[in-house]
Amino acid sequence: MTPKISQFLADEQPATPCLVVDVDEVEDRFRRLQGALPLALIYYAVKANPARPILERLVSLGSRFDAASWEEIRLCLDAGASPDDISFGNTVKKVSAIQAAFAVGVRLYVFDSLEELEKIARYAPGSKVYCRLLVDNYGAEWPLSRKFGTTVESARELMLHARELGLDPYGLSFHVGSQQLSADAYEAAIARVASLVTDLSATGLDLRMVNLGGGFPIRYRDDVPEIEQFGDAICSAMTKHFGNALPEMLIEPGRFIVGAAGVVSAEVVLVSRRGREDGPRWVYLDIGRFGGLAETEGESIRYDIRTQHDGGAVSAVAIAGPTCDGADIMYERSPYVLPDALAAGDRVELLSTGAYVSTYCSTRFNGFAPLTEHYI
Amino acid sequence: MTPKISQFLADEQPATPCLVVDVDEVEDRFRRLQGALPLALIYYAVKANPARPILERLVSLGSRFDAASWEEIRLCLDAGASPDDISFGNTVKKVSAIQAAFAVGVRLYVFDSLEELEKIARYAPGSKVYCRLLVDNYGAEWPLSRKFGTTVESARELMLHARELGLDPYGLSFHVGSQQLSADAYEAAIARVASLVTDLSATGLDLRMVNLGGGFPIRYRDDVPEIEQFGDAICSAMTKHFGNALPEMLIEPGRFIVGAAGVVSAEVVLVSRRGREDGPRWVYLDIGRFGGLAETEGESIRYDIRTQHDGGAVSAVAIAGPTCDGADIMYERSPYVLPDALAAGDRVELLSTGAYVSTYCSTRFNGFAPLTEHYI
């Protein structure tokens, strides 16, 4: 939690649940990532947090943008981004969305199937396209692999076909999975991409870009490798496989840029044992899986939690949200402890919640309004 | 799909994704449930679908309401419900919510812990209270058990304590899990409740109510037992255990009342194989787990899907939503087949989606607006 967020929470005591994001911290994270990967063009993954103050700050820093939908493209343009700096990075796009994006000047599109490629050729003629490869997501805490990406053999055919369709066969992409803890995953994927680039070059098709995706991890409860380690590993792998003929390198960070810049302030609604003295206490917060903390599904992302009683005696807890839904349990198997003094009405802070929280929030499940957001 | 919904979709071709609910069907379902359990007071579980036209129709039919939050209580009152007909049915309530409910005249509250009981005693003095028991959810497709309910021993103490606190110790509740396919689950729970009622009666505390919860199943892709079977089983079990001294019986149906009354109309965004000829086709819709179909988590609820090509040749598919999130896969392991002729741009209908869809929808994940709703 940054000093600015601590001060804001102390001074304002904003109604809970709410998300507070320090936009200066967003800038620091952007600069640090750019320092770790100086050759990479940063396309911020808008889906991580599309709030206007974040997009505007990133525009001012020269960031580019990875948009998942026409609506996200619109948000980027409204925040001052140029269409030249936007990648339409969803492999699944409605025709109407491609048409709208093309009309405002977006010229960079991803695909991973023949059907999508043909849509792009028809509704965004002449655009740059890149093909997403299926790669291993081993090591990622929020894996993505099964839904996206095609095989090397298929990508090869599709890139050649893209040229025949009058598109600009620009490059290849992959995604090693979100909150990826292992730099090896990038190295393995780069090797795979490089081999296909070499192969296509032999047929006279020179690709000029490699999109390394995102997935760079941040600290939740446990330490993660520093971003410089990922930078070094990626740089070494790119040099090893491409030598002096380095292609353009794109990255699509979301969590790394905004995750650590945000804090959710919540209220304890109930602490109880419900008649089971041998079990953990159950702590119910006024935010849960359907109020924005969707990445706690399967207890995948384990947020660090601060309370006003930190330092006192602690014991095991299960942690759940405020709805009547039995699935609205955040942590039951993960070894969480919280202070024995914790009681209903206390405020708690969930750290590093700037990414993938505000937009996952349900419209009104169980009647609870979406969490409010403060950008400071 | 009711004829009225078919007609509406054909005539209006509403923008997708959208939910269309036939409010007359809601009425039919209410009447049928009342017929199957004539002695039960129906408290509609507002969380299933809190839309104003549904609440108003149910008010006109004499329904009562099970509210999960102060906001849901407000919706019921706005739709014309009397505070006497509202149960605040969430075992986890903010003090401010109890205060607000008490101020407008709500006098029926659930609890499952000492801490919550003390909150109710303080902020809703003299109210009727009932204690939720933990029961087995075996047989439910959307189980609820771990988060709610206390032990029989604890419930006994708490009900006696409720009297000491000046509350009206009114009854006991349980929930056998949502989309519960086995009537046995109710019978076992009723036996458990009856034994505690008898035990408390011996100490001079006569409980007057048993809340049987909800969970009554509806047909998705497979047949389920008819509601009359549940009615008969519940009636037999109540008579067996309580004899002539039948307590008031409350039920809290949500899915049963509104589920079958709704249809989601969606668009196919992409059908692809992504280079894997041996695997299923992947069908991407413009609605997925974060657009409202949250109950497809773990492939728990398997909706029946209709297309304009039904009757033609079919083959295996995986079905996913439109976002860039790898978790946004609805069906990959469940054996779904769809017509080979299905293509991007086609409309499909997901049947029996009237419950637990509109409110689970995320505010704007990946930029996609919440689905629109039509009540006809």
Side-chain angles (χ1 to χ4, degrees):
Chain A
M1 184 153 46
T2 70
K4 202 161 63 157
I5 294 177
S6 297
Q7 193 66 48
F8 176 85
L9 289 173
D11 292 348
E12 306 286 333
Q13 299 273 321
T16 64
C18 68
L19 171 65
V20 186
V21 175
D22 181 343
V23 184
D24 292 333
E25 180 71 10
V26 172
E27 175 167 342
D28 288 350
R29 302 287 292 185
F30 179 88
R31 291 187 188 283
R32 181 158 170 217
L33 181 58
Q34 191 69 84
L37 277 159
L39 292 179
L41 298 173
I42 298 178
Y43 281 72
Y44 171 64
V46 178
K47 67 182 85 65
N49 189 324
R52 178 74 170 251
I54 290 175
L55 299 183
E56 286 180 343
R57 181 66 67 95
L58 290 172
V59 166
S60 78
L61 295 168
S63 181
R64 302 178 185 210
F65 299 92
D66 163 43
S69 63
W70 158 245
E71 292 79 2
E72 284 192 354
I73 292 171
R74 187 73 261 166
L75 291 175
C76 293
L77 297 174
D78 290 348
S82 158
D84 292 334
D85 292 337
I86 297 172
S87 166
F88 200 158
N90 191 336
T91 55
V92 180
K93 298 175 283 297
K94 276 193 180 180
V95 164
S96 58
I98 299 173
Q99 289 174 311
F102 189 72
V104 298
V106 173
R107 294 292 180 270
L108 181 56
Y109 298 84
V110 71
F111 69 95
D112 67 2
S113 68
L114 175 63
E115 296 81 354
E116 189 73 9
L117 182 64
E118 289 176 338
K119 270 198 266 176
I120 298 168
R122 179 158 179 195
Y123 298 104
S127 291
K128 289 180 183 173
V129 292
Y130 59 99
C131 185
R132 180 161 169 173
L133 288 177
L134 182 66
V135 299
D136 197 352
N137 274 206
Y138 182 79
E141 302 207 329
W142 191 259
L144 305 170
S145 70
R146 296 171 303 168
K147 185 177 171 184
F148 305 108
T150 190
T151 59
V152 169
E153 299 68 33
S154 157
R156 184 180 184 282
E157 280 175 36
L158 291 172
M159 290 309 279
L160 291 168
H161 190 49
R163 186 169 57 178
E164 292 164 8
L165 291 171
L167 292 164
D168 177 358
Y170 180 47
L172 299 170
S173 77
F174 59 82
H175 204 297
V176 295
S178 196
Q179 185 71 0
Q180 172 57 258
L181 302 181
S182 163
D184 294 348
Y186 292 92
E187 292 175 343
I190 289 168
R192 199 174 169 85
V193 164
S195 130
L196 178 53
V197 169
T198 305
D199 183 21
L200 280 168
S201 183
T203 74
L205 179 60
D206 291 315
L207 304 186
R208 292 119 60 205
M209 184 277 282
V210 174
N211 180 333
L212 304 156
F216 307 112
I218 63 172
R219 190 187 195 289
Y220 289 105
R221 298 210 302 167
D222 302 313
D223 286 333
V224 297
E226 299 293 338
I227 190 64
E228 289 74 17
Q229 282 182 246
F230 287 91
D232 292 349
I234 287 169
C235 203
S236 300
M238 289 296 290
T239 310
K240 173 177 167 192
H241 292 290
F242 289 97
N244 288 332
L246 275 186
E248 281 187 52
M249 284 162 57
L250 272 55
I251 55 175
E252 296 171 341
R255 190 185 307 277
F256 186 85
I257 302 281
V258 294
V263 169
V264 162
S265 178
E267 184 181 317
V268 176
V269 185
L270 178 68
V271 180
S272 78
R273 285 195 180 274
R274 292 186 290 124
R276 283 163 288 183
E277 289 302 326
D278 53 339
R281 288 170 299 148
W282 278 72
V283 175
Y284 300 88
L285 304 180
D286 62 359
I287 184 171
R289 281 192 52 206
F290 304 109
L293 305 177
E295 290 198 323
T296 60
E297 179 182 340
E299 311 198 10
S300 296
I301 299 293
R302 292 176 292 278
Y303 298 109
D304 200 9
I305 301 177
R306 297 288 165 83
T307 82
Q308 67 203 72
H309 307 289
D310 288 352
V314 298
S315 55
V317 293
I319 305 175
T323 70
C324 288
D325 196 313
D328 189 12
I329 297 172
M330 291 178 284
Y331 306 115
E332 194 183 5
R333 302 184 314 273
S334 302
Y336 268 82
V337 295
L338 284 175
D340 294 336
L342 196 69
D346 286 347
R347 292 182 79 114
V348 300
E349 282 92 44
L350 294 98
L351 306 190
S352 295
T353 40
Y356 300 111
V357 170
S358 54
T359 52
Y360 267 121
C361 182
S362 76
T363 47
R364 222 171 177 88
F365 190 54
N366 275 219
F368 297 113
L371 84 172
T372 50
E373 300 169 56
H374 306 277
Y375 295 87
I376 60 175
Chain B
M1 183 152 48
T2 69
K4 202 162 63 158
I5 294 177
S6 297
Q7 193 67 50
F8 176 84
L9 289 173
D11 292 349
E12 306 286 333
Q13 300 273 321
T16 64
C18 68
L19 171 66
V20 186
V21 175
D22 182 342
V23 183
D24 292 332
E25 180 71 10
V26 172
E27 175 166 343
D28 288 350
R29 301 289 290 186
F30 178 89
R31 291 187 189 283
R32 181 157 170 216
L33 182 58
Q34 191 68 85
L37 278 158
L39 292 179
L41 298 173
I42 299 178
Y43 281 70
Y44 170 64
V46 178
K47 69 182 83 68
N49 189 325
R52 178 74 171 253
I54 291 174
L55 299 183
E56 286 181 343
R57 180 66 66 96
L58 290 172
V59 167
S60 78
L61 294 168
S63 182
R64 303 178 185 209
F65 298 91
D66 164 42
S69 64
W70 159 245
E71 292 79 2
E72 284 192 355
I73 291 172
R74 186 74 261 165
L75 291 175
C76 293
L77 297 174
D78 290 348
S82 158
D84 292 334
D85 292 337
I86 297 173
S87 165
F88 200 159
N90 190 337
T91 54
V92 180
K93 297 175 283 296
K94 276 192 179 180
V95 164
S96 58
I98 299 173
Q99 289 174 311
F102 189 73
V104 298
V106 173
R107 294 292 180 270
L108 180 56
Y109 299 83
V110 71
F111 70 95
D112 67 2
S113 68
L114 175 62
E115 296 82 355
E116 190 73 10
L117 181 64
E118 289 177 339
K119 272 199 266 175
I120 298 168
R122 179 156 177 196
Y123 298 103
S127 291
K128 289 181 183 173
V129 292
Y130 59 99
C131 185
R132 181 161 168 172
L133 289 176
L134 182 66
V135 299
D136 197 350
N137 274 206
Y138 182 79
E141 303 208 327
W142 192 260
L144 305 170
S145 68
R146 296 171 304 168
K147 185 175 172 185
F148 306 108
T150 191
T151 60
V152 168
E153 298 68 32
S154 157
R156 182 179 186 283
E157 281 175 34
L158 291 171
M159 290 308 280
L160 290 168
H161 190 52
R163 186 169 56 179
E164 292 164 9
L165 290 171
L167 292 164
D168 177 358
Y170 181 46
L172 299 169
S173 76
F174 60 81
H175 203 299
V176 294
S178 196
Q179 186 70 3
Q180 172 59 259
L181 302 181
S182 163
D184 294 348
Y186 293 91
E187 292 176 342
I190 288 168
R192 199 174 171 86
V193 164
S195 131
L196 178 53
V197 169
T198 305
D199 183 21
L200 280 168
S201 184
T203 73
L205 178 60
D206 290 315
L207 303 187
R208 291 118 60 205
M209 184 277 282
V210 173
N211 180 333
L212 304 157
F216 306 112
I218 63 172
R219 188 185 196 290
Y220 288 106
R221 298 210 302 167
D222 301 313
D223 286 333
V224 298
E226 299 294 337
I227 191 64
E228 288 73 18
Q229 282 182 245
F230 287 91
D232 292 346
I234 287 170
C235 202
S236 300
M238 289 295 290
T239 310
K240 174 177 168 192
H241 293 289
F242 290 97
N244 288 332
L246 274 186
E248 279 186 56
M249 285 162 57
L250 272 54
I251 55 175
E252 297 170 341
R255 191 185 306 277
F256 187 85
I257 301 281
V258 294
V263 169
V264 162
S265 178
E267 184 182 318
V268 176
V269 185
L270 178 68
V271 180
S272 79
R273 285 195 179 273
R274 292 187 290 123
R276 282 163 289 182
E277 288 303 327
D278 52 339
R281 288 170 299 149
W282 278 72
V283 174
Y284 300 88
L285 304 180
D286 63 359
I287 184 170
R289 281 191 52 206
F290 304 110
L293 305 177
E295 290 198 323
T296 59
E297 179 182 340
E299 312 199 8
S300 297
I301 299 292
R302 292 176 293 279
Y303 297 109
D304 200 7
I305 300 177
R306 296 289 165 83
T307 81
Q308 68 204 72
H309 307 290
D310 289 351
V314 299
S315 56
V317 292
I319 305 175
T323 70
C324 288
D325 196 312
D328 188 11
I329 296 173
M330 292 178 285
Y331 306 115
E332 195 184 4
R333 302 184 312 273
S334 301
Y336 268 82
V337 295
L338 284 174
D340 294 335
L342 196 68
D346 287 348
R347 293 182 77 116
V348 299
E349 282 92 44
L350 294 97
L351 306 189
S352 295
T353 41
Y356 300 111
V357 169
S358 54
T359 52
Y360 267 121
C361 183
S362 76
T363 49
R364 223 170 176 89
F365 190 53
N366 276 221
F368 297 113
L371 85 171
T372 49
E373 300 169 55
H374 306 276
Y375 294 87
I376 62 176

